[in-house]
Amino acid sequence: MSFNLRLLNLFFGMCKGAGGLPRGLYELGFRVETVEIRFTNSDRRTVAPELIIASEQIHHTVLFEWKSGANTDTDQLQRYSRITTEDLVAKAYLTRGKCTIHDIAVIGKDEHRDRIPIGIEEGGYDFPVLVVVADGLETILNGFHVAETDAAFRRLTVNWDTLPTTFFPVDADSELWEFAEHAIPLVLQEMQKGSPRVLANEIGKDIVPLWETMRPDYQGRLENKIEAVIDRAARREFSNYLHKNERAKARTHTPTWDVMENPLVGAADKRLKAWKAMLKQHKALVEYFKDEHRQEDLPLRGE
């Protein structure tokens, strides 16, 4: 699991009170507000935190920026420092009671614990800095402005091996085979319901929580991978059942496929036989995308 997905699933899980994870944030009323949002600060300069969580109970918001590398960006830190409560209310759409106080928290890898704090210290910022360690998260610089929140993060113990992964199973950097694992079963569910069409953004909403709160360009990156997976399925493994409808996109505003034949809504014995066959086709599709030496197939003219 990527660094990004590990942290997204951790905070989704903690804010939902998932079993096996620390409950401090959940008991303080923290909930996930938005993922991959882009808005402007008081200087009208853009910021794009990976995640925002907030608690109306203690009037505290935390914006997270995580770094997989060793260095922070001086300009980015300065832009974060210029975020105000008014920005969070008017541009990030938080209610005022949740963001009376806010923190910018930077999370990096343990191997970069000596480098990550440098830019924050040199800039005189009071951003809490945490690193991912073998058994959780460790705060290595500064503290959160709200004592209860700070206590919840010191020290935050996590068993990474049992971390739930269902909250955010893929991100924009996930491989196509990972998208195939999640998208095709949802396509089959749509067919079971008798849906005449499959829409890429609806599949995305079923895969990824808070789809609507992500910035459009990030949605687009996920949608492109969903489209690539279903396109391949419609051309090969599921060519008897799905057909790309390019004209419909003008109305649906998302890649769209028509369900041409649907054996999953017929007689019970035929449904079972078709279901088993489709599961095999799904497995073949995943294996195709896992093959590093695969030959990319392009749609024929007229397909």
Side-chain angles (χ1 to χ4, degrees), residues 34-39 47-52 63-65 80 83 215:
T34 185
V35 178
E36 293 286 348
I37 191 174
R38 185 186 297 269
F39 63 98
V47 293
E50 266 78 24
L51 178 72
I52 299 178
L63 298 85
F64 289 100
E65 174 68 32
Y80 273 128
I83 294 174
R215 64 181 192 259

Side-chain angles (χ1 to χ4, degrees), residues 4-47:
N4 180 53
L5 283 178
R6 180 178 289 193
L7 290 173
L8 284 175
N9 279 289
L10 172 64
F11 284 103
F12 265 87
M14 290 195 297
C15 289
K16 286 182 175 290
L21 292 177
R23 294 181 59 83
L25 293 179
Y26 177 76
E27 291 172 353
L28 290 173
F30 277 100
R31 302 294 182 265
V32 171
E33 292 292 326
T34 185
V35 178
E36 293 286 348
I37 191 174
R38 185 186 297 269
F39 63 98
T40 56
N41 64 12
S42 57
D43 297 328
R44 298 183 180 179
R45 302 188 67 205
T46 300
V47 293

